[in-house]
Amino acid sequence: MAIDGNIYVLFGDGTIKKYFKGVEETFTVSGLPKPYEELGQPTLLSTDSGAAAVYVYDATNKRIVELDTSGVYKRQFALPEEWDVKDMFVSGAAKKLWVLVGNSVYEIAL
């Protein structure tokens, strides 16, 4: 789950739902580039009120995908194949995304 004023919930089947004031809103992941036009195995998501985006870790394709708040693809960050991402945190104000891999934290500039 991630919150930016809206609440985004990532379910075990990879579905992402968006809620505002308890009401489900439309959130459809779209526009992902080839050859990975779907999220293989999304396991984490992060956002904050200053980010104006939702970040999804796709474990199968070793990437973090940036989506706008309606689910439209903006860009992606390819990750090293050996990374086993445990968590991530975004700060829109700082324009940074932090990724926890094992006992190390890596910073990605947005």
Side-chain angles (χ1 to χ4, degrees):
M1 178 171 40
I3 301 172
D4 68 357
N6 297 296
I7 298 173
Y8 301 88
V9 180
L10 174 62
F11 291 90
D13 66 358
T15 303
I16 300 171
K17 295 199 176 191
K18 175 182 174 182
Y19 299 91
F20 181 70
K21 293 186 177 181
V23 177
E24 185 175 348
E25 296 198 345
T26 302
F27 188 89
T28 304
V29 176
S30 64
L32 294 173
K34 292 180 181 181
Y36 307 111
E37 298 173 75
E38 293 183 8
L39 294 172
Q41 183 185 6
T43 57
L44 300 168
L45 84 144
S46 183
T47 190
D48 84 344
S49 60
V54 178
Y55 297 85
V56 181
Y57 172 57
D58 178 357
T60 300
N61 299 309
K62 293 295 183 180
R63 64 182 175 167
I64 296 173
V65 176
E66 180 180 349
L67 306 169
D68 73 10
T69 56
S70 63
V72 177
Y73 172 84
K74 293 175 77 174
R75 63 182 165 167
Q76 65 186 2
F77 304 93
L79 303 176
E81 189 64 33
E82 66 275 5
W83 278 20
D84 182 20
V85 175
K86 300 295 182 195
D87 206 354
M88 64 182 181
F89 174 78
V90 66
S91 170
K95 298 187 183 209
K96 295 186 182 197
L97 176 69
W98 291 275
V99 181
L100 176 64
V101 179
N103 293 326
S104 300
V105 177
Y106 297 89
E107 180 180 282
I108 299 172
L110 303 175

